[in-house]
């Protein structure tokens, strides 16, 4: 009877182990398309033997179900996600800036200038001055100069305004990301608490899947550093060290306005961490706003101020249609800062265009020639206006092209890492079908053994008389 009892116990343990394996397989199949789900695997272990009367009968087998995850690989995916998301956000912003200037992948140098609104306006303005040189006393020709000047000022204003709109959009992007960050960090802290309560020393299964999915989403928003803590917990900080999650507590990120820009506050106590943030959508938005846009805006301001100043100074050297000293054609601020947004045409009468020099009379064209010659004069440092614009457009196009290439490379690396992780952790229909067949047969075999032993025990109890086992 003792041997039969032992065999009955072995069969019973086998049934329980096989049932756990079947449950894990069913769970895998049910969650095959669940984002972030990690495949569950079953490991079987022989039970401890106990020596009784010189014999050591087996106590059967047990099954342990755990999620098949590689924490190192998960962190590599997380870090690559941060890098890729940053370059993607930067790429989007730079492509928007390219659109402002009408740039395409094939437009460079003089071709880029000719195809841009601002380049067309500059060329049109100098073309009107060339026409004035040929017909200096014609009122309609003088009016065309003022019209072209107004178009040029409008092109500067438009480009500056659109750059400002992109900056505003990036500020809104940062604010929106901060709201999502707080939602995710709160969820991660809550999951830390649940995991510490339910599975502080072992894999927590779907709870860890949920937490990792939140961390992956958080990585798309901001750069993170991750630290494993006691009770199977995870602490998170920004790449600059500001704490976001510690145990079951999350620390809210907030925003503040500094000089018209949206800056980010994080940590305990909250501090401005804007300059130290990188990675994720926030990192890309801040990089575009704080590094690229100021450089482009400054160059645009410098071009507007230098060109406008050169035209004003030359016009003031001539005389207008009434024989009076020429006045400024463009209204400009006192310095280059904000010049592209502020430039406008101050001259209101066609006669204000000083085509002649003193003593030439109203039909003179010496100053008109000098004004037209500004098109080939180095008015912006050591460059002509169109040459400087060509350099600016080449810089914008080159930056956008470089970031696009970087993002493609980073995306390929992320795809490779994700494939490696999924090959380990994702559910395979073929593998689960094979496991299902194996566990079903094992369950059936254990069930058959259990039935046979039950019959034998009943026979033994009834001293060999055949009875019906109920």
């Amino acid at each position: 009877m003792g041997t039969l009892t032992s065999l009955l116990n072995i069969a019973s343990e086998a049934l329980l182990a096989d049932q756990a394996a079947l449950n894990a397989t069913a769970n895998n199949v049910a969650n095959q398309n669940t984002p972030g789900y990690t495949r569950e695997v079953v490991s079987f272990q022989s039970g401890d033997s106990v020596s009784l009367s010189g014999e050591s009968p087996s106590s059967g087998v047990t099954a342990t179900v755990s999620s098949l995850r590689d924490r190192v690989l998960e962190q590599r995916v997380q870090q690559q996600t941060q890098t890729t998301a940053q370059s993607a956000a930067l790429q989007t912003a730079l492509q928007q800036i390219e659109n402002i200037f009408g740039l395409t992948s094939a437009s460079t140098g003089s071709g880029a200038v000719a195809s841009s609104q601002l380049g067309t306006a500059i060329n049109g303005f100098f073309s009107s001055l060339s026409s004035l040189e040929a017909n200096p006393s014609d009122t309609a020709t003088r009016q065309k100069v003022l019209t072209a000047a107004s178009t040029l000022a409008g092109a500067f204003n438009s480009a500056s305004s659109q750059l400002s709109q992109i900056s505003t959009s990036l500020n809104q992007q940062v604010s929106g990301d901060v709201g999502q960050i707080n939602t995710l960090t709160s969820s991660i802290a809550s999951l830390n608490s649940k995991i510490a309560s339910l599975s502080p020393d072992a894999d927590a299964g779907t709870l860890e899947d949920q937490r990792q999915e939140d961390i992956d989403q958080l990585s798309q928003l901001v750069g993170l550093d991750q630290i494993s803590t006691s009770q199977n917990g995870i602490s998170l900080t920004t790449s600059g060290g500001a704490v976001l999650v510690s145990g079951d507590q999350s620390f809210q990120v907030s925003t503040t306005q500094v000089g018209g820009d949206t800056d980010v506050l994080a940590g305990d106590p909250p501090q401005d961490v804007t300059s130290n943030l990188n990675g994720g959508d926030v990192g890309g938005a801040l990089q575009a706003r704080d590094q690229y846009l100021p450089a482009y805006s400054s160059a645009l301001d410098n071009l507007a101020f230098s060109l406008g100043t050169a035209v004003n100074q030359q016009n003031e050297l001539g005389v207008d249609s009434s024989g009076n000293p020429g006045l400024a054609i463009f209204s400009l601020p006192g310095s280059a800062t904000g010049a592209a947004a502020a430039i406008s045409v101050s001259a209101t009468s066609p006669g204000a265009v000083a085509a002649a020099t003193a003593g030439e009379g109203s039909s003179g064209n010496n100053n008109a020639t000098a004004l037209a010659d500004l098109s080939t004069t180095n008015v912006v440092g050591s460059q002509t206006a169109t040459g400087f614009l060509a350099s600016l457009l080449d810089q914008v196009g080159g930056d956008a092209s470089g970031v696009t290439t970087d993002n493609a490379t980073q995306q390929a690396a992320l795809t490779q890492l994700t494939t490696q992780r999924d090959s380990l952790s994702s559910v395979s229909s073929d593998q689960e079908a094979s496991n299902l067949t194996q566990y079903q047969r094992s369950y059936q075999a254990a069930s058959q053994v259990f039935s046979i032993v039950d019959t034998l025990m009943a026979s033994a109890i009834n001293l060999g008389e055949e009875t019906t086992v109920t």
Side-chain angles (χ1 to χ4, degrees), residues 82-391:
Q82 296 166 25
T83 302
T84 304
Q86 175 170 348
S87 65
L90 179 58
Q91 177 187 6
T92 299
L94 293 186
Q95 287 175 341
Q96 291 173 346
I97 295 172
E98 281 190 305
N99 292 336
I100 291 176
F101 296 107
L103 291 175
T104 64
S105 58
S107 57
T108 58
S110 59
V113 171
S115 64
S116 69
Q117 179 186 8
L118 183 55
T120 300
I122 292 175
N123 290 334
F125 177 67
F126 284 123
S127 178
S128 72
L129 290 174
S130 295
S131 298
L132 180 65
E133 180 184 6
N135 196 5
S137 59
D138 183 59
T139 301
T141 303
R142 289 172 178 265
Q143 180 59 52
K144 288 181 179 178
V145 172
L146 292 185
T147 300
S150 180
T151 299
L152 176 57
F156 275 117
N157 298 158
S158 176
S160 178
S161 175
Q162 290 180 75
L163 288 177
S164 295
Q165 289 172 12
I166 290 177
S167 181
T168 299
S169 177
L170 291 171
N171 283 327
Q172 294 171 347
Q173 184 174 332
V174 170
S175 295
D177 287 343
V178 163
Q180 295 181 61
I181 289 170
N182 288 332
T183 299
L184 289 168
T185 54
S186 177
S187 174
I188 293 168
S190 175
L191 288 167
N192 272 344
S193 177
K194 292 178 182 178
I195 290 170
S197 174
L198 299 175
S199 185
D201 302 314
D203 186 274
T206 55
L207 288 176
E208 286 199 45
D209 291 342
Q210 293 171 22
R211 183 174 65 182
Q212 188 59 47
E213 178 69 10
D214 284 347
I215 292 174
D216 287 345
Q217 291 184 37
L218 192 59
S219 295
Q220 295 176 11
L221 298 173
V222 67
L224 301 171
D225 284 330
Q226 176 177 321
I227 304 170
S228 296
T229 62
S230 60
Q231 295 187 306
N232 204 7
I234 287 178
S235 290
L236 298 174
T237 66
T238 67
S239 52
V243 62
L244 296 174
V245 176
S246 179
D248 61 357
Q249 186 175 6
S250 64
F251 297 86
Q252 295 285 290
V253 180
S254 59
T255 60
T256 186
Q257 294 297 309
V258 178
D261 286 333
T262 299
D263 280 8
V264 180
L265 304 178
D268 182 30
Q271 296 180 344
D272 194 325
V273 297
T274 307
S275 61
N276 293 324
L277 284 180
N278 57 62
D281 194 69
V282 171
L286 292 176
Q287 187 179 9
R289 188 196 72 185
D290 297 341
Q291 296 180 29
Y292 288 87
L293 272 174
Y296 302 151
S297 296
S298 177
L300 190 67
D301 285 341
N302 192 18
L303 176 59
F305 186 78
S306 298
L307 178 56
T309 298
V311 171
N312 287 346
Q313 290 175 346
Q314 188 60 53
N315 199 65
E316 290 168 355
L317 293 177
V319 294
D320 63 18
S321 61
S322 300
N324 296 317
L327 300 175
I329 291 179
F330 293 106
S331 174
L332 294 166
S335 67
T337 303
I343 188 172
S344 62
V345 176
S346 57
T348 57
S349 169
V353 181
T357 56
E360 277 192 294
S362 60
S363 61
N365 69 349
N366 283 347
N367 204 53
T369 299
L371 285 167
D373 286 345
L374 290 176
S375 64
T376 58
T377 303
N378 293 337
V379 296
V380 193
S382 60
Q383 293 179 288
T384 65
T386 54
F388 184 87
L389 178 59
S391 297

